[in-house]
Amino acid sequence: MSDAQQTIPLFPLSGHILPGGTMRLRIFEPRYVRMVKESCNGTNCRPIGMCMLNDQGNTGSNTHIHPIGTAVTIVDFEQLPDGLLGITVAGKGLFRITDMNVEEDGLRVGHFEDHPVWPSQPLSNDDTFLAEQLVEIYKTYPELAVDYTDEQLKQADWVCLRWLELIPVGAQTKQELLQNPSVEGTLTFLRDLVEASQE
């Protein structure tokens, strides 16, 4: 990828989407309406960078955005009952912001480098409860569910990414887990979290 292509419009938000996940969004701020239009101005939608908010950061210095984000593509549009634009995005890969510019309307554009996603790894028999409980959450809260296959539920990396989208822990913790070279650290974290919730 050339330097000219190594920029991505940034959309910071409190909800989290990671590779393999989907999210529905309401778009109303003019800068993000422009972002969506420019992303889909052509035959193929260009990626948008979904970023985690840093509650310890500062908007003036752009430290309110954590460095690891998810490149997403728009897979569906809809006109919402309130007249706003609704989009559905799908997570494709991770990136790390190396620098950031702020455009006239306040849209932030990040210079980035690709960040590796954990290598694929089978879910062990001891950890199948993580997949089973994830399915139960999706059944209970269908608005949070993503499409999945039986094969994906057998993959530790896929299951852990879905859990990280859902669990109410700080974005800083999720950033640290995503920096690990494998899914093992997240598996340990989730085991402890789920077991503590059952005590």
Side-chain angles (χ1 to χ4, degrees):
M1 195 175 284
S2 69
D3 290 343
Q5 294 174 303
Q6 290 283 73
T7 61
I8 192 168
L10 303 178
F11 192 172
L13 74 171
S14 54
H16 300 151
I17 177 173
L18 295 167
T22 58
M23 179 182 284
R24 296 177 67 184
L25 299 165
R26 295 167 69 249
I27 306 296
F28 54 90
E29 289 189 51
R31 56 182 164 173
Y32 297 128
V33 172
R34 174 172 75 87
M35 175 190 71
V36 170
K37 288 180 178 177
E38 291 180 354
S39 171
C40 291
N41 183 21
T43 54
N44 295 312
C45 284
R46 291 173 294 173
I48 292 169
M50 308 297 284
C51 301
M52 300 182 189
L53 285 169
N54 179 0
D55 55 12
Q56 303 298 317
N58 180 279
T59 55
S61 59
N62 291 325
T63 54
H64 67 300
I65 296 177
H66 279 293
I68 298 176
T70 302
V72 306
T73 55
I74 299 171
V75 295
D76 195 19
F77 294 88
E78 62 179 324
Q79 180 94 25
L80 299 175
D82 56 10
L84 297 179
L85 172 65
I87 64 172
T88 301
V89 296
K92 299 299 181 183
L94 296 178
F95 63 88
R96 178 184 291 274
I97 300 167
T98 58
D99 193 17
M100 200 181 306
N101 297 327
V102 184
E103 300 189 342
E104 287 187 6
D105 60 359
L107 180 68
R108 287 167 171 81
V109 175
H111 298 265
F112 73 94
E113 58 189 18
D114 292 335
H115 184 81
V117 185
W118 304 313
S120 185
Q121 177 177 317
L123 194 66
S124 71
N125 291 335
D126 289 341
D127 290 325
T128 54
F129 73 96
L130 291 173
E132 293 165 357
Q133 292 201 19
L134 181 67
V135 170
E136 287 303 312
I137 291 172
Y138 285 163
K139 288 179 179 177
T140 305
Y141 304 99
E143 69 277 10
L144 300 177
V146 303
D147 292 334
Y148 60 85
T149 65
D150 289 341
E151 287 306 309
Q152 287 171 320
L153 291 173
K154 296 176 183 177
Q155 294 301 123
D157 47 305
W158 190 90
V159 169
C160 284
L161 287 170
R162 302 291 73 78
W163 272 102
L164 286 189
E165 291 172 338
L166 297 173
I167 56 175
V169 299
Q172 180 61 43
T173 298
K174 297 182 183 185
Q175 291 276 309
E176 291 168 0
L177 292 171
L178 291 171
Q179 291 181 67
N180 290 333
S182 77
V183 73
E184 287 299 334
T186 304
L187 281 170
T188 299
F189 178 83
L190 291 174
R191 290 183 200 115
D192 294 344
L193 191 70
V194 172
E195 287 171 3
S197 69
Q198 295 175 337
E199 291 178 354

